[in-house]
Amino acid sequence: MERILADPALEAQPNFESAAYAGWLNALVAGGIAREDALEQMAEGWRLERQERILLWQQQNEEDARTLQEQLERERAEKEAEEQLERREAEKKKPKINDFDDGAVVADVIIPRPSQYAIQKIKNMEYVELWYFTHMSWYGLHTMHDNGCHEASTTSRSTSDSDDAFGFAKVDGIVALKTIASFKASQKALQDHDLSWRQFDLAKTSFLVHIEKNNWPQKHQQALALFFTLITNHEHCMRPRGEKALLRYTGFVRREWHDHLAQDQGFNIGLFNNALYNSISDDVWEAERDEGLKMVRSALPTNIQSLTKFFYIFNLTSEMNLAGCLNAFTLGCPCFRGTIPHLLSMCYCIYDFIFAFRSPLLALTMLLLYLPSC
C-alpha cells in the first residue's frame, strides 16, 4: 500500500464547482442528476474517501510507532549486550582477590617460600635439589645467607619486575615463552649430599609441604614422607660419617626415582635398600680414609732415605690388616728414633691403627702393647 504522506484530517473540502471538477460534475448532470444533488454526491464521496484515508493514516502511524519501538528495544538490547560484554572483559582483566574466613588466624609456623624455579619444578613434578627449600632457623642464624629461600627473597626484592621478564624454554618438545625466574637455576645451589644434616632436616619438611600444596598424588607423597622418615631415623645418624652416608643415599636415590618415573619405570622410594646404602657408606669411608692418608703423607719427610723407608712401611700397611700395621709400627719407629721424622712416623702408624681397627680405643691399646718393641 502506498504510504500516506500527510494527515487527511487536515485537508479542506475542495470546491467541486471549480474548473478542476467540471468534467466530473457535467458527467453526473448528463446522467440525469440535478446539479445540486451532483455536488452533494461529490462532497459525500470525498468525505467517505477522506475518512478511509484518516483510518489508514492512523494505522500507518501505529505501525510506525510499533516499528520505532521495536527498533529502540533492539538497539537498547544490543547496547546492553555490548555493555555486559565490556563489563565481563573488564572483570576478567580486573585483579581478583578471594574471600577470607572471619574467624581464621594465621598459622603458627610460616614455611619460607622457595624460588620460582623450585616452585615450577614442583608444579611439573620434576626433580629439584633440596637446597632450594633450605631456610634460616632460630638455631641456624649463622647460615642465613647460605640457603635457597633466603636467596629467593633477596632476588625477588632486587628485581621487582622479574615476573614480567620472559624467555624461551622447551616444554614437551615445543618452544614456549616462560618467565625467566621459573627456569633459571641458582648458581649457589648445592647437591643433597653437600647439605649439612640440619639443612637437610629443615629442607625436606618444607619440600613435603610444597608438594602437598601442589597436589602431588597421595601415593607419591606418602612414599616420600616414609623415605625421609627412614633417613632421619636411621641408626647410623649417631655414627661417625653416618649422616654423610645417609645424605649421599638420599641424593642418589631421589634423583634415580625421578629418572625412573620419567621412563615409566618407577619404584617404591619408601623401601630402604640396605645393600645400596652399605655400598655408599663404604665409599664414604674409603674417601675419608684416602683423604686422611694424604694429609699424613704430606707431613712426612722428603729426603730420599726416609722416603724410601716410608714407602716400605706404607706397602706393609696398605692392606689395612693387623699384621701389616704391627710390622709397620715395629719397623718404622726404630729407623726414625730420636728424630722429628720419628714422631711423624708414630702419627702415621697411630692413624693407620685407627683405620685398621675402626676404634681409637682399641688402636691405642694395641699401640701400648707393642710400644716396647720400639
Side-chain angles (χ1 to χ4, degrees):
M1 186 180 64
E2 186 178 354
R3 185 173 180 79
I4 300 174
L5 302 178
D7 185 0
L10 301 179
E11 294 178 0
Q13 179 176 320
N15 182 8
F16 292 109
E17 294 180 345
S18 64
Y21 294 95
W24 183 13
L25 178 60
N26 293 334
L28 290 175
V29 172
I33 301 175
R35 181 180 177 82
E36 294 297 328
D37 292 339
L39 290 172
E40 183 63 25
Q41 286 183 10
M42 293 173 68
E44 183 66 19
W46 176 82
R47 285 192 294 271
L48 292 174
E49 189 268 339
R50 174 173 171 267
Q51 187 62 34
E52 290 179 358
R53 287 190 295 112
I54 289 174
L55 293 176
L56 291 175
W57 169 260
Q58 292 174 349
Q59 292 177 0
Q60 177 179 287
N61 288 341
E62 291 175 357
E63 184 68 24
D64 290 346
R66 186 166 52 252
T67 302
L68 179 61
Q69 183 66 25
E70 290 176 354
Q71 181 178 355
L72 292 175
E73 293 277 350
R74 185 168 55 254
E75 291 178 354
R76 183 167 57 252
E78 292 176 355
K79 185 177 181 180
E80 290 178 354
E82 290 178 0
E83 291 176 351
Q84 187 175 3
L85 179 61
E86 290 176 358
R87 284 195 298 269
R88 282 200 300 265
E89 292 296 327
E91 193 67 24
K92 290 179 181 179
K93 298 176 181 179
K94 181 181 177 180
K96 295 180 176 59
I97 184 169
N98 294 329
D99 197 6
F100 61 90
D101 186 354
D102 293 334
V105 182
V106 65
D108 296 337
V109 177
I110 298 178
I111 302 297
R113 182 181 179 87
S115 66
Q116 285 295 326
Y117 170 79
I119 292 176
Q120 191 63 39
K121 286 287 188 179
I122 292 293
K123 287 181 179 179
N124 294 337
M125 300 183 184
E126 298 175 351
Y127 173 82
V128 60
E129 292 81 358
L130 291 177
W131 177 86
Y132 288 97
F133 301 89
T134 57
H135 56 88
M136 180 184 65
S137 69
W138 297 112
Y139 305 101
L141 295 176
H142 62 283
T143 61
M144 63 177 296
H145 298 293
D146 300 326
N147 60 79
C149 292
H150 179 268
E151 187 196 44
S153 63
T154 54
T155 302
S156 95
R157 284 199 302 268
S158 61
T159 52
S160 58
D161 59 342
S162 59
D163 290 341
D164 298 330
F166 288 85
F168 291 102
K170 188 174 182 180
V171 181
D172 296 331
I174 301 174
V175 177
L177 277 174
K178 295 179 64 178
T179 56
I180 292 177
S182 66
F183 64 86
K184 184 178 180 181
S186 172
Q187 296 180 349
K188 299 180 181 178
L190 300 176
Q191 297 296 322
D192 289 356
H193 59 264
D194 292 327
L195 299 176
S196 68
W197 187 259
R198 178 62 180 171
Q199 284 179 313
F200 163 73
D201 196 23
L202 293 173
K204 57 91 177 169
T205 302
S206 177
F207 173 78
L208 291 174
V209 169
H210 281 91
I211 66 173
E212 182 181 8
K213 284 183 178 180
N214 287 274
N215 300 318
W216 278 37
Q218 195 65 30
K219 180 180 180 181
H220 294 62
Q221 291 187 49
Q222 292 175 354
L224 283 167
L226 178 58
F227 171 70
F228 288 125
T229 300
L230 293 175
I231 295 297
T232 55
N233 291 277
H234 198 277
E235 59 181 351
H236 285 190
C237 288
M238 305 302 295
R239 294 187 180 182
R241 297 168 298 279
E243 292 180 353
K244 182 176 290 188
L246 288 168
L247 287 175
R248 293 187 74 86
Y249 177 88
T250 301
F252 293 155
V253 173
R254 205 164 63 83
R255 183 179 286 276
E256 191 74 4
W257 185 62
H258 279 279
D259 290 344
H260 277 68
L261 287 176
Q263 300 169 7
D264 197 18
Q265 298 176 357
F267 56 85
N268 188 356
I269 195 174
L271 300 179
F272 194 87
N273 189 325
N274 288 294
L276 176 61
Y277 171 74
N278 290 335
S279 176
I280 292 174
S281 180
D282 290 342
D283 291 342
V284 171
W285 164 262
E286 291 176 3
E288 286 201 358
R289 182 195 64 186
D290 292 343
E291 185 65 26
L293 290 175
K294 287 180 181 178
M295 292 175 61
V296 173
R297 290 173 203 163
S298 65
L300 287 173
T302 57
N303 61 76
I304 297 177
Q305 180 180 1
S306 300
L307 191 60
T308 304
K309 182 61 68 176
F310 162 70
F311 278 118
Y312 174 67
I313 298 169
F314 177 73
N315 287 332
L316 293 175
T317 59
S318 60
E319 296 180 1
M320 295 306 297
N321 54 41
L322 177 59
C325 289
L326 295 179
N327 288 335
F329 185 77
T330 304
L331 293 173
C333 292
C335 67
F336 297 116
R337 189 184 304 277
T339 64
I340 292 178
H342 169 68
L343 297 177
L344 294 175
S345 180
M346 288 284 290
C347 292
Y348 173 79
C349 290
I350 291 172
Y351 191 83
D352 248 352
F353 263 64
I354 292 175
F355 274 109
F357 293 103
R358 300 202 177 189
S359 169
L361 181 59
L362 182 57
L364 181 59
T365 303
M366 295 303 296
L367 282 171
L368 292 175
L369 289 175
Y370 277 82
L371 192 58
S373 65
C374 295

